[in-house]
Amino acid sequence: MIKKVLFGILCLMNSLAANAQMGKLFDADKQMSSSFTTQIYLDKDGFIWIATRNGLNRYDGYQFRIYKKESRQDLGMASNYVNCMTQDHNGRFYIGMYGALQIFDGQRFRSVTTYDLDKKSIPCYVTCLLERQNREMLIGTSGHGLLKMKGHREAYQMGDIFSHLNGVHRIMEDRRQQIWLATETQGLWCWDGKTIKKYFQEAGMHNSVLDVCEGDNGRIYVATSNHGLYRLENGNAIHIENTGNRHISVLYFNRRGHLMLGYDGMGLGIYDPQNGRLVENPYYSREVDLSTAKVYSICEDQNSNVWLGLLQKGIFMQPGHTMGFGYMGPKLGA
């Protein structure tokens, strides 16, 4: 009898441990405004924000608060098609939308007027945002290159060496304060404040760069469509062979120093720069087939919970602790 009880307890513990390792899926059927996610963002207070093509969502560990243009409380939101967001040093949120750039102070959305090289007011398709270490706010767009904020009401397209820049997928600033731009059709650009160095300019590669990030050792990694992962060494782009010709949409370095690769249609890979090992799809869900997911955004909160933005599938949260989710109350990342 005792043996049976012990066996039952062990089975229950194993079951709990297994279930604890399975993540949780949030989508339009489970509180979110849309399953079409474009970015996941962790703010300075530990809240998770999810940009979607049908509104902006904030998760506090219990429930979602949804911000939409046509909500009962008119907060001045310009569009429900939200592409990206970031938070500046003063806590203001910059929201990139389809045809608009807005600043959200927690109470109201206020529009930023955007200007082209001729100083004409234009609607912008904002794709990415970055506050630099010197507190300049840069705005990447599709069609009007790179813009820079002037005050809190206006943004101007950058000219001179940026005059012929068209579309930008991602902006990244490295520890040397160099600006890296993953462009839509012009390869990878690196700006040191004076000159620009360009990578992936050859035919078949100039329109393949999708993301760029910096590792703990200062090495630069580049994600491409259908050409896998690269690292830059001595000015040369070195292909990481075990990533093959995978379509990598997004890169994210986690707290363990591992590089997370979000694939378009093949889920998630985790690459260890120390030994070159690549682990494919380490997470499991009963609710969604992660191995075929299109991962377009990756975020890790302060409890090491990993959040994946899945195109048309919502967001998936993988617990960061062995025996269950980390803290999931208000300000879950605080």
Side-chain angles (χ1 to χ4, degrees), residues 231-246:
R231 67 174 180 269
L232 300 186
E233 291 184 5
N234 301 319
N236 298 312
I238 309 299
H239 181 245
I240 297 176
E241 292 186 5
N242 52 357
T243 64
N245 61 351
R246 289 170 177 78

Side-chain angles (χ1 to χ4, degrees), residues 143-303:
H144 291 94
L146 194 64
L147 280 66
K148 184 168 70 173
M149 288 294 301
K150 181 179 181 180
H152 302 298
R153 297 287 187 178
E154 299 176 326
Y156 290 83
Q157 185 176 356
M158 297 177 67
D160 298 325
I161 56 178
F162 294 103
S163 297
H164 301 292
L165 177 62
N166 296 318
V168 182
H169 289 301
R170 203 82 70 206
I171 313 171
M172 190 270 292
E173 183 177 22
D174 66 24
R175 63 190 62 185
R176 298 168 57 190
Q177 298 186 29
Q178 296 181 125
I179 298 297
W180 296 81
L181 304 172
T183 75
E184 292 178 355
T185 60
Q186 297 164 288
L188 177 68
W189 292 21
C190 177
W191 179 48
D192 63 7
K194 296 180 181 179
T195 61
I196 288 178
K197 185 172 183 178
K198 299 180 181 181
Y199 302 84
F200 299 96
Q201 297 300 297
E202 59 271 27
M205 295 298 293
H206 60 87
N207 60 349
S208 70
V209 177
L210 297 180
D211 200 2
V212 56
C213 70
E214 181 181 24
D216 293 337
N217 59 1
R219 182 169 288 168
I220 302 298
Y221 291 86
V222 184
T224 69
S225 60
N226 303 316
H227 296 284
L229 179 68
Y230 287 78
R231 67 174 180 269
L232 300 186
E233 291 184 5
N234 301 319
N236 298 312
I238 309 299
H239 181 245
I240 297 176
E241 292 186 5
N242 52 357
T243 64
N245 61 351
R246 289 170 177 78
H247 184 126
I248 304 173
S249 300
V250 62
L251 300 175
Y252 184 87
F253 262 101
N254 65 21
R255 292 182 181 174
R256 297 182 179 182
H258 297 162
L259 183 57
M260 307 184 79
L261 318 175
Y263 300 138
D264 185 348
M266 294 179 60
L268 179 75
I270 300 182
Y271 174 74
D272 187 347
Q274 298 299 318
N275 56 30
R277 184 185 179 195
L278 176 65
V279 177
E280 303 279 24
N281 292 303
Y283 305 149
Y284 173 75
S285 172
R286 290 176 178 171
E287 302 173 282
V288 61
D289 184 359
L290 294 174
S291 66
T292 61
K294 296 182 177 182
V295 180
Y296 273 42
S297 183
I298 304 173
C299 178
E300 184 179 26
D301 65 36
Q302 295 178 14
N303 290 295

Side-chain angles (χ1 to χ4, degrees), residues 76 78 100-103 109-113 152-154:
L101 172 65
Q102 293 197 295
I103 296 176
F109 293 84
R110 302 185 185 280
S111 293
V112 174
T113 306
H152 302 298
R153 297 287 187 178
E154 299 176 326

